[in-house]
Structures are given as structure tokens and as C-alpha cells.
Amino acid sequence: MFNSVQETLPREEIEKIQIAGLRKTLKYLKNSNSCLKEKYKHIEPEDIKSLDDLKLLPFTTKDELRDCYPFKHIACDISDCARMHMSSGTTGVPVINAMTRGDIAQWGEIMARCLSCAGLTEKDRIQIMPSFGLFNGGFGFHYGAERLGCFIVPAGAGRSLMQLKLIKELEVTAIGAIASYPARLIEVARESGFDFRETKLRVAILGAETWSDEYRKRIEEEMNVKTFDIIGLTETGGVGLGIDCPARAGIHIWEDHYIVEIIDSETGQPLPEGKEGEMVITTLTREGLPLIRYRTRDISSILSYEKCECGRTHVRVSRIRGRTDDMLKVKGVNFYPSQVEQILLKYKGLSPYYQLVIETVKGKDEMTIIVEKADNGITQKELEHLDLELYDFLGFHSKIQVVPEGTIQRVPGKAVRIVDKRKKI
Amino acid sequence: MFNSVQETLPREEIEKIQIAGLRKTLKYLKNSNSCLKEKYKHIEPEDIKSLDDLKLLPFTTKDELRDCYPFKHIACDISDCARMHMSSGTTGVPVINAMTRGDIAQWGEIMARCLSCAGLTEKDRIQIMPSFGLFNGGFGFHYGAERLGCFIVPAGAGRSLMQLKLIKELEVTAIGAIASYPARLIEVARESGFDFRETKLRVAILGAETWSDEYRKRIEEEMNVKTFDIIGLTETGGVGLGIDCPARAGIHIWEDHYIVEIIDSETGQPLPEGKEGEMVITTLTREGLPLIRYRTRDISSILSYEKCECGRTHVRVSRIRGRTDDMLKVKGVNFYPSQVEQILLKYKGLSPYYQLVIETVKGKDEMTIIVEKADNGITQKELEHLDLELYDFLGFHSKIQVVPEGTIQRVPGKAVRIVDKRKKI
Ligand SMILES: [Zn+2]
Ligand SMILES: [Zn+2]
């Protein structure tokens, strides 16, 4: 473990740290430059007596942060900040997170814990494949690897042939990437006769997208690696909020830096262990953008507050199933693309390149699942079975269209899973 | 000044530091992992009595480094290195520079000096436009700005509209970029009605390419900034080897970290002050890739060892005219694209987008200068005058083809100035 003291704190210690951190953050926010401080005018930090009191505080939403563009939500002076990252803004005004030196150190610490949790040490050579820049992925891995003492190959996004060449020639042992990117690497490897078994690669740390267990299994087999699911948002300080561990028993959230809650998206009420809902994050140590009860829109559940097999005591949540934004409602049924992916990828003859196309036909929703074939494709019998499985899960019939490899456009960055042609109301 | 003690050392002090640094580097190399150490087997560091003895040492060439791909030229263990950058490899096998933590600190120091020399302080907001990744540009600016304490907007390459939006909305005061990129920014600004005078931008630090004084003048006028020419190579440790100063009296090379010589490319003999030739760099403080007399292929000249108006005592060299690789030989005449650029851009009606196309017609060289028009274009009379000027400089007639704006492809990264269609021997 990178920080074995902090990562194995007893539950009572964690709670003490969280209450103190929450009070401190509230006090700091109330006296800050943030325009959001008004929300806490009538709240006295010292009135927070237990973690249970957290639920008395108001939520913070992405829309509130967007209204603050560019810097009105930043708690300190911009001249006290060292730099910034920014959400993609593909679905509206972007959110900027300006970071102090303290924030960057905090980020390095939690990312180093994540890399260490994935089995990396200072002996590893990590190739960083998310882009470096406004997107936080590249720099997050960079600072974590620097803190841990790995050798960094700063490849950035794209150029898959070059990525493979470097993995092999530089004897790279680990990669960090956007979750859908390994599918592309595997495809290019196959086209060019590249064999992952002739490399020293053993770990792939993947995030920034929802990815199914079946996809995971396939990546692990084809790349001959162990994968780790890493999570984080621009708003909470970037990638590194949590990661799953070798015990594969959920994603540990670093609780000395964050409080996690799961709430009912509709009612806003906290949900008990095991219940699926929206993840809400409170930051305890962030300075540029401290957040109280930030609604992440990510869907997860609390798995356990008990000590994990890996020795870590920090809470475990389930892998993220999707974002509330990604949730589809077709013919009145709610589901996430990752759930369809999970079913598709049980079939060896189907590839991880798929799209769900939804349109209105004669006033009714119709969904077509376009999926590329892999290997020798899928037999008629398998196709019928898939159809049954999908119907079983969705409760309505969708059209399955198996297309040749390469049909779906390969895009840099996050994959496009949904093409919704329905008229928006 | 970022480091006023070091930047204003008296000449005798600089020489003492250089002799000591040279001896130390030689000794270190001889006992290192580098396969190049064999070259120094019979050289005793203590035999170096004066800087004059430097010329007794053998050169290091890019081809030697290429033969070492990926890591054989690295002096220390890769596990002692924190990361690497890599030359583009567009003209052959790339060269990797693996960096220790000491190297990264050295890089931060010299880049912070460069930014400070360009007038930046911790109050500035710098938008970094070279790509972050294997190319050293992005990270060089990043570490320098971090060291100096600026606020960093890590924009990376491309997305010109977004770049402009950020400059304005985030009140950016300085940019770092590949030298040809401002031409694109100006073009996009014009198309979208963006006015640089409504921003807080005042400094542009440009490098990685040869750019003429006329281009410089145009950028300064149109963007309403002061520009600074920054130099550096992957092999010497990246961008930051030197920069020109507010006195605009040449490029200062940080002599406590590097020794610069100018040599005759043909004979290898050192050239005196004022004579133009190939720049040769010896590193004094680099650990991953220490270099003795590295032939950079960049063409420059020593301007002065005297104290500069700006107060700095470090040697000044002339702005780089081109690389020996870029030198064109057409109809027996040697010249650099930047020299043609310098003539073209005297005409307001011509843009900085140009290409020199050379082909063999009836067994003879023919050169066509394709250049895009700017503003209202160029009159017949001006065209005739340009033709005369070019003939005067080149000594042969070239065809000038003025084409509409947007004809020449906009590429990310370095501009393509030469299209040589002649059969190579
Ligand atoms: Zn665990
Ligand atoms: Zn000067």
C-alpha cells in the first residue's frame, strides 16, 4: 500500500477525520471567494455532530457549477491556483476545477494509492494513454505515477500502432487508459500481428467510462492483463476518487479525502447499503473547489464498510453502472447501455463496438442494436438466443444488426454508445 | 530574473562552472550505463584544463543516438528515471530522452528562467498550446510555469476556436506555442470576429520551428503581443535551452547548464564570433542523457559574450535560421525556407501560409512558391517587385503562385514548408 496508515484506519478514526474535515471544509467555504458560500450562511460547522448531520446540508449540482463559469465557484484566489482542468462541455457549459498546490499534492497522493492498489511499484513502467490537457485523465495518472516513482511513458491519446510499438519496445508493464480504448488496441494488434503475450504488460487501469464485467473479461483475456476500474470526476479533483482492488470486491473510495453517499435521485433521500442510486461526494481536503454533497449523476451502491480482503478499510462501492445522463428510457423501460453490453459480450462472436439506435416509428419507440462481429461471427442459433436474453432483460423486442468489423466509427476519447433519434420534448 | 545570481555571473565564473561541469559530466559518462562511454575511454576528465580543450573531444551525432534506440544511450538505470520524451521520428528512428528527477528539476529551472525572461511572473496566466506527451513542448512549459508559480491553462494542441475562447474568458496573459500556430489563431480569430485587443494577452513564447523576423512582426501586430523566441531539443533536455530577452539582442543560452559552440558543418572546426554555422551543445548538468558536443543541426552564430542590456551575462546567439536538414539546394543555391519567408512577409497582401515546391522539369530544378493571399492580396506591381527581390536573394527565377486563403492544408504540429518532388539520389 502506498499509505498503509491512512488506507487501513479503523472505522471510528475514519469517521472522526470525516467529521473534522467536513467542519473544516464548511468553515473554509463560508469564508471563501466561492459564490456558493451563500448556501451555508445559516449553517454552523460546529453544529455538525455526526456524519448523520451531513444529510441536513443542501446538495451541490452540476448546473450550479456551470452557472459559475469560469471561476465564480472557486473558493480561493485564482492567483493562488497552479492550474486547472475542465469537463468536456459536450453536454453544455463546461465546469472548471482550478487547483492549488495543495490540491495537486492531494491528487498525487490519491492517484499514487490507486496505482499501488493496482499492484504498481516504483519498478513499473506506465504508459499513459488518456490525453494530457484540459481533460484530467492524463495528468492524473502522471502525478500519481510521479509520486509513486514509476517510469512514465507519456503517450497521450491516439496513434494506436505507436502505442503498441512503445509497449513492446520500452518494456511497459502497465497502462492507464479510457475504458473503451483497449478494444481499439486489441483490434489494431490483431490487424498487425501484435502479440500481447510477447510484452511485459500485466496491468491496465481503466476509467472515465462505464464498462461491463463481460468487456472486462474480454480485455483481460486478449491483452493478458489484470484490469482495474478507476473512477473520478473533474469536479471532485479528477481521476483517483477510488479504484477497485486485487480482491475485486468493489471500488474503494479514499474516505480520508471524500465522503460518499448514495441517494435516491428522485427524492434526494440517502439509501442504505446495497441499494442502487446516485453517488454523492463531499470533499474533505480540496481547496480550489471544495464540494458539499455534490451530485455526481453516477449510479452505484454501497457494498460494505467492513475491512476488505486486501486489508483496506475504506468503504467499497459497486462499479458504476452508468450515469443518470446515460440512462435510456425506451418503451417506458429504464436501463443503461452497459447492461446491454454485458449481455452482448457473452457472445464471443460479437465485438465491444456497439451502438444503440433509438428512433420513433409510427409514434412508437424502436431500438436497433448495431454490433460488430468478432472472430467468426455469431450463428443463427446464437442470435436467437441473444434475442431471447435481451427480451428477458429489456421486456421489449429490439432489432439486432450484426455488422462487419470497422463499421462503427472509431473516435478518439469516449465511445459513442447511444444514437437517440427521437424527437426531444 | 528567476535566478538573478546565476543569470548574471561574471564570465570568469561561468567558465569555471563550465570546466568543472564538463569534467564532472565526462567522469559520470565514463562510469555510466551509456554505450557511448567507450568514446571517452582514453580521455581523462582532469586533462581538461580550459574550455579550449573542449575541441579535442569527439562530437556526438543524432545518428549515434538513433542507433541506441530505445535506451542504450541512457547513462543511468531506467528505474532511476522518472519519465521520457521522444523526438518525432518523422525523419527516421526517434531519439528517446529518459529523465531523472534531477533532470526534471533542471528543466523546471531553465524553463522558469525563460518564462521570467519573457516578462512572466507568478501573477500570469499561461495557456500552453504545444501538445503534452512524447513531444517535450507541452511539459516543458508546464514545469517552467509550475516552478515560476503561474496559473496554467493546459490547452494542448488544436481546437483553435476553443483556444481563443479560453484566452478571452479566462483572462489569459501569455501563451506558449509552436511558432507557426499563431498564424492559425489569427486566421480563426478573423473568421470569427475575435479581437485580441479585447483580451489580456500580452506575451507569446514561440519555438520548435524556425520563424522569420517578418513573421514575428506580423504576429506582434495582429495579436497585440510581445513575442519571444525559445529554443531547445529533445536531446538536450527539451525546450528551454535558451530564449531571447526584452533587449532583443539575441538568444541567451543558460551557460551554467550548457556549453554552446558554433562549428563549420563540413570541417567540424569551431567558428569565431559572428560566423554562422552549426550549433553544438555540451550538457553540464543532465543525468539521463548527458551529451558531449552534440551536433544539433541548427544554424546560428555567436553574437556576444558581453553582458546584455537586460543584465544577463550568458552568451547570446543569433535566432536560428534553419536546420541543416531543412537547407534547400536548388539550382546549386543553398538557402533556408525562413529566408524566403522573410521576403514574402514584407508584403501585407501575403499570408504566413506558404510552401516551396521543388521539382525536376526537363532535368532541371524548378521551384514554385505557393503562398496564400492575405487581406486584399497583392497587386501586379508588388508581384513584380517580389519577383525581383526573390531573384536578388536566390539568384534564380522561381514561380510565384498566389492562392486563396485556406488552400494550404492546416496541420497540427509543425508546418510543412517544403514539398520536394525531385528524385532523391
Ligand atoms: Zn480491497
Ligand atoms: Zn538579454
Side-chain angles (χ1 to χ4, degrees), chain A residues 245 247 252 308-310 312 316:
Chain A
C245 68
H252 289 282
C308 175
E309 259 182 64
C310 75
R312 292 176 181 82
R316 281 167 284 145

Side-chain angles (χ1 to χ4, degrees), chain B residues 266-278:
Chain B
E266 305 280 314
T267 66
Q269 287 308 304
L271 293 172
E273 257 181 70
K275 288 282 178 203
E276 197 165 76
E278 183 177 352

